[in-house]
Amino acid sequence: MLNIYDGCRPLSRRRLLEIGGLGLGGLSLRNLMAAGNSSGENPLKGKSVIFLFQQGGPSQLETFDPKPDAPSGIRTIGGTIPTTLPGVHFGSTMSQLARLAHRFVTVRSFHTGNSGHNIQPIVSPASREANIGCHYSRIAGPVNPANGMPNNAILYPAAVNPKVPGPSARGDLTSTGPYSSNYKPFIPGKDGKLQQDMQLTLPRERFLHDRRALLRKLDQLNRQADTNGEFETLDDLQKQAIELLLGGGVSKALDLSNEDPGTLARYDTARYHGRDSWNKVNRGKSGYYNAQASTIGKLLLTARRLCEAGCGYVTIHASYVGVWDMHGDGNNLNMADGMQAVGRSFDHAVSAFIRDTRERGLQDKILLVCCGEMGRTPKINKNGGRDHWGRLSPLLLYGGGIDGGSVIGESD
């Protein structure tokens, strides 16, 4: 937390460095200078992308490409449910999405060629060392010049619930590859402290209503800092930095207490918390299934709020250490239990997002992409699970101006 007091308690150099970082994980004040692209043109067109990463590899047969008539040992576990599209069925845990199938696109011929737990072939075909959010940030700039919002963000479960495990800032999600660290993603809620890195404590009567006085105060603090060049561009960036610190787009977007209570309740997936139901495997004992089940809805809501405020690309990593990885072994649940553990909350959260964005008129402004790094084997293993399969994977696309109601491709 950033604290600036009047008069008797000057800020230490360490705390001043925290001002420079703004808690934006690699996005320092100096980096704000790179808000525009090198051509001087603004490539942003008022649209955003949310990538909901289903790490572990969701099964195509139990989600959007069921095979109820396949032979025993292959056929979809748990049954199927009809959708609003004639002749199209989903797996039974996708019951809410089945009623909205005419609103989005499902792809039944998508394949990653990746049978390992590696996000890079999915999000960075051009460079496997940097994810697509970093590519986006490199083109559009790390910060939206119109409003100071970071253009590349990653949300982990601990961003909305500090009591769940993590967050785990995976290197393959945060690496900028050959690019400068300026393009690292904004990761709110590091160590579960969502707002603490963005808070400013000031005497309200003196500073909150007098931005110029606050700028002068930061000028004084800057002159007290070591003259090592760290803040050589601070003067040029103060106004934009102060807008962020004083609850500009970032802080307001992250604060779910500002959301309509009815909307917040619609997204809430806490009801899918399984308590000790999944503790027969290690990932259940570690709380990873419950982390996804209880937070995925609020993560999608937070992502919508970030995009609405001007963020360009948001990655949601709700599936800690691969909770869609349903081998049925000592670490992972089998398909039947696994789909109950993570499938039902996913179905609820994405359905809430679709309804909410349509009501808000955002269906053309935000593109939601849902997929994992691979799918699951057609054949059920001896433990009632499915193993890694890079030849087919479920893919859902909604919004961004895409017409819904299509099922693209087919599988055998």
Side-chain angles (χ1 to χ4, degrees):
M1 181 183 294
L2 173 63
N3 298 285
I4 297 179
Y5 295 155
D6 183 16
C8 63
R9 187 181 175 186
L11 212 62
S12 68
R13 179 178 181 276
R14 178 179 178 183
R15 298 300 275 168
L16 189 56
L17 285 172
E18 291 181 7
I19 299 176
L22 290 178
L24 298 184
L27 184 61
S28 68
L29 285 175
R30 181 182 298 174
N31 302 148
L32 294 175
M33 294 293 289
N37 68 339
S38 58
S39 68
E41 299 178 357
N42 183 4
L44 303 177
K45 303 301 180 184
K47 298 198 176 190
S48 304
V49 175
I50 297 173
F51 174 50
L52 176 52
F53 181 41
Q54 298 169 267
Q55 179 158 32
S59 169
Q60 65 278 11
L61 291 95
E62 276 69 40
T63 54
F64 309 122
D65 191 9
K67 304 295 182 187
D69 300 324
S72 176
I74 294 178
R75 88 171 54 105
T76 298
I77 293 175
T80 66
I81 187 169
T83 73
T84 53
L85 302 178
V88 176
H89 287 67
F90 289 167
S92 60
T93 55
M94 301 291 108
S95 59
Q96 296 187 56
L97 285 172
R99 295 192 289 271
L100 295 170
H102 57 290
R103 300 294 190 195
F104 57 86
V105 173
T106 54
V107 183
R108 289 178 168 178
S109 54
F110 174 61
H111 66 96
T112 67
N114 171 36
S115 58
H117 294 301
N118 180 8
I119 190 177
Q120 297 308 326
I122 321 312
V123 299
S124 189
S127 168
R128 294 192 176 192
E129 297 177 356
N131 74 52
I132 201 170
C134 296
H135 290 289
Y136 179 94
S137 184
R138 182 170 177 260
I139 298 299
V143 174
N144 186 328
N147 49 41
M149 287 293 295
N151 270 327
N152 178 21
I154 297 179
L155 298 176
Y156 296 98
V160 296
N161 183 354
K163 296 181 180 180
V164 301
S168 173
R170 292 177 54 92
D172 53 3
L173 279 174
T174 61
S175 171
T176 59
Y179 308 140
S180 164
S181 61
N182 290 0
Y183 304 112
K184 277 195 171 185
F186 165 35
I187 306 177
K190 276 193 172 184
D191 301 319
K193 295 177 288 188
L194 177 62
Q195 294 297 317
Q196 291 185 32
D197 288 338
M198 297 298 298
Q199 287 179 4
L200 182 67
T201 300
L202 293 165
R204 178 178 295 272
E205 67 280 2
R206 176 163 183 180
F207 292 123
L208 288 183
H209 301 296
D210 188 348
R211 302 294 178 90
R212 288 176 297 178
L214 180 56
L215 288 171
R216 289 196 299 270
K217 182 65 177 178
L218 286 179
D219 264 337
Q220 296 170 13
L221 293 170
N222 182 41
R223 287 193 291 270
Q224 294 171 12
D226 292 347
T227 56
N228 60 2
E230 178 69 25
F231 300 103
E232 60 187 6
T233 62
L234 183 62
D235 289 342
D236 296 329
L237 301 168
Q238 282 178 329
K239 290 183 179 180
Q240 193 169 14
I242 297 310
E243 287 300 319
L244 288 171
L245 284 169
L246 289 182
V250 179
S251 183
K252 288 179 180 177
L254 294 174
D255 188 355
L256 294 183
S257 67
N258 292 324
E259 188 55 69
D260 175 77
T263 302
L264 188 60
R266 172 187 288 185
Y267 275 93
D268 191 3
T269 54
R271 72 191 72 175
Y272 299 106
H273 191 291
R275 297 180 175 83
D276 298 331
S277 301
W278 307 310
N279 285 358
K280 56 188 173 184
V281 296
N282 291 333
R283 285 180 176 171
K285 295 174 184 176
S286 299
Y288 296 129
Y289 297 112
N290 280 324
Q292 149 129 354
S294 61
T295 64
I296 187 172
K298 289 183 178 179
L299 288 171
L300 260 173
L301 175 56
T302 302
R304 186 268 281 166
R305 291 173 59 86
L306 285 171
C307 291
E308 198 173 18
C311 186
Y313 193 96
V314 181
T315 300
I316 298 177
H317 194 306
S319 307
Y320 268 129
V321 293
V323 295
W324 290 90
D325 196 22
M326 301 174 190
H327 293 284
D329 55 18
N331 287 320
N332 308 276
L333 292 173
N334 57 35
M335 287 306 309
D337 293 336
M339 288 304 296
Q340 292 297 315
V342 297
R344 294 173 67 230
S345 56
F346 170 88
D347 173 64
H348 180 103
V350 176
S351 298
F353 178 86
I354 292 172
R355 294 188 179 98
D356 180 38
T357 49
R358 288 191 64 80
E359 290 174 5
R360 301 177 73 88
L362 298 173
Q363 67 270 22
D364 292 335
K365 296 181 179 179
I366 303 175
L367 172 66
L368 174 66
V369 181
C370 303
C371 75
E373 68 274 37
M374 59 186 154
R376 312 306 297 180
T377 51
K379 187 176 181 180
I380 300 169
N381 66 30
K382 64 180 181 179
N383 300 316
R386 298 188 191 271
D387 301 317
H388 295 188
W389 187 253
R391 296 174 63 185
L392 202 66
S393 181
L395 172 64
L396 181 153
L397 303 168
Y398 163 75
I402 296 175
D403 291 332
S406 298
V407 177
I408 298 175
E410 57 182 291
S411 65
D412 58 24

